[in-house]
Structure formats: C-alpha cells, structure tokens
Amino acid sequence: MDFKELAKKRYSCRYLTGEKIDSKLIDSIIETAILAPTAVNKQPVKIFIMDSENAKNHIKEVCQWTFGAETFLIVAYKKEDAWTRKFDDHNFGEVDASIVATHIMLEITDLGLDTTWVGHFDAPKLKSLCPEMKDYELIAVFPIGYASEKAKPASLHFQRKSREELVETL
Ligand SMILES: Cc1cc2nc3c(=O)[nH]c(=O)nc-3n(C[C@H](O)[C@H](O)[C@H](O)COP(=O)(O)O)c2cc1C
C-alpha cells in the first residue's frame, strides 16, 4: 500500500470482533518494529506480547480500553538503555519507543488488522502484576484484532489542524 494511502486508512478502531489473530501476523508486526530507527541505535525498547489468559486478564484489570481484543502488545523502554543528549540531559527513550510504536500501529493497518494506541492504563499496577516489566516505562497498549461491523472513526479523527496552524516557516 502507498504510504499516504496507509496513513489515511489508519484510524483508532474501538470495536474489534475478538477473533484471535494468527501468530504469523504478530511475527510480521515484530519484524517491522525491529526496523524502527532509535537514537544512536540504542534500541532501548521492549515489546511484551500479552497472549496467555493470565497476561490478558492483567491488561483487562488495568485498562478499560481493550475494545474486545484477544491479542495485546505493550511497548516499553528502559530509560538507562536510551541515549541522553549531553546539552540538556534529554533522555530519548520515550521518543525511541514512540517510533517503534508508530511502526507497530501502521504495520497493523497494513496487514488489514485494526488497533488503537492506548496510553490510558494503570502502568504502575501492570508492572506490579507482571514483574518482567518492573524496569521499564510502559508507553502503549495495542489491542489488536479485526474491526467489527460497528467500527468507524470517532469524530476526533476528523479534527485536524490546518497547515497554517501546524507549520511555521522561519
Ligand atoms: C499517545 C496516545 C495515547 C492514546 N491513548 C488513548 C487511550 O487511552 N484511549 C483511547 O481510546 N484512545 C487513545 N488514543 C487515540 C487518540 O485518541 C486518537 O489517535 C486521536 O483521537 C485521533 O484519532 P485517530 O487515531 O482515529 O486518527 C491515544 C493516541 C495516542 C497517540
């Protein structure tokens, strides 16, 4: 799919059928995540595949925005593994993890699947439920599946800043 077409096709899908997705599709999503650039190629990012009943129950316990999905990915990063800019001590872990998450989101759309980037979840509680996450900052939950008949873009999807608002040429 042409990139602009892909960017236009993507929207936050909040109604999924609950059909389980083939593990080959997850493999393809992970391959695309690995291709993401990161500052100084530090790759401080971790992706947690939440596939077992136990893991999925943990997500449902900490997040009300699961949209009927039966497959979840969590994007996380380790601050101390990320590059820090010396001039202002800016740590780029969140930037790196966001690039990886964006690759994931767009690959999901390209595969004909749907998702929403979910940031509204109880990250400290999830870390306490999943000790594997304890050293990570958790930035995104992706509930992944197939759009149900009810699915359509929300009104916010269509509210975009104009070029004049977004861009300033110096
Ligand atoms: C960092 C981030 C966090 C978000 N968190 C949530 C969330 O917790 N719940 C939700 O329903 N949507 C969430 N969204 C989706 C946004 O609301 C959505 O992207 C925005 O309204 C634009 O709509 P669109 O994605 O359909 O274009 C999040 C998006 C981003 C990028």
Side-chain angles (χ1 to χ4, degrees), residues 19-40:
E19 186 185 332
K20 216 169 153 28
I21 68 173
D22 195 291
S23 64
K24 286 198 178 70
L25 298 173
I26 296 291
D27 292 344
S28 178
I29 294 165
I30 302 299
E31 279 167 23
T32 305
I34 291 170
L35 297 175
T38 57
V40 197

Side-chain angles (χ1 to χ4, degrees), residues 130-146:
C130 306
E132 299 84 351
M133 296 179 183
K134 83 173 166 39
D135 297 328
Y136 291 89
E137 304 297 323
L138 311 180
I139 65 144
V141 172
F142 288 106
I144 307 169
Y146 294 94

Side-chain angles (χ1 to χ4, degrees), residues 10-12 14 65 67 116-120 156-157 160:
R10 186 216 61 82
Y11 72 97
S12 294
R14 297 183 173 91
W65 313 109
F67 308 127
T116 295
W117 181 325
V118 173
H120 190 184
L156 276 183
H157 173 76
R160 298 287 160 184

Side-chain angles (χ1 to χ4, degrees), residues 104-166:
I104 287 172
M105 191 170 61
L106 291 171
E107 173 70 10
I108 288 170
T109 304
D110 199 39
L111 290 169
L113 297 164
D114 284 280
T115 193
T116 295
W117 181 325
V118 173
H120 190 184
F121 62 97
D122 188 341
K125 187 165 181 191
L126 188 56
K127 283 161 75 157
S128 74
L129 292 168
C130 306
E132 299 84 351
M133 296 179 183
K134 83 173 166 39
D135 297 328
Y136 291 89
E137 304 297 323
L138 311 180
I139 65 144
V141 172
F142 288 106
I144 307 169
Y146 294 94
S148 79
E149 278 179 12
K150 269 175 89 176
K152 62 175 177 79
S155 59
L156 276 183
H157 173 76
F158 301 100
Q159 295 175 28
R160 298 287 160 184
K161 286 188 173 179
S162 66
R163 187 197 155 99
E164 290 66 36
E165 287 173 299
L166 187 69

Side-chain angles (χ1 to χ4, degrees), residues 14-100:
R14 297 183 173 91
Y15 296 95
L16 301 169
T17 59
E19 186 185 332
K20 216 169 153 28
I21 68 173
D22 195 291
S23 64
K24 286 198 178 70
L25 298 173
I26 296 291
D27 292 344
S28 178
I29 294 165
I30 302 299
E31 279 167 23
T32 305
I34 291 170
L35 297 175
T38 57
V40 197
N41 205 22
K42 294 276 193 183
Q43 303 173 63
V45 178
K46 186 85 160 185
I47 300 161
F48 294 99
I49 301 173
M50 307 299 275
D51 210 23
S52 67
E53 284 309 310
N54 197 37
K56 283 186 276 195
N57 285 339
H58 289 337
I59 298 271
K60 289 170 190 171
E61 209 177 322
V62 302
C63 180
Q64 54 180 306
W65 313 109
T66 53
F67 308 127
E70 282 304 318
T71 305
F72 298 91
L73 294 181
I74 293 186
V75 181
Y77 72 95
K78 213 182 250 185
K79 211 168 182 176
E80 56 271 32
D81 288 352
W83 177 64
T84 299
R85 184 169 57 196
K86 69 175 182 182
F87 304 104
D88 57 0
D89 270 344
H90 186 88
N91 183 285
F92 276 74
E94 189 130 344
V95 174
D96 293 337
S98 295
I99 297 168
V100 170

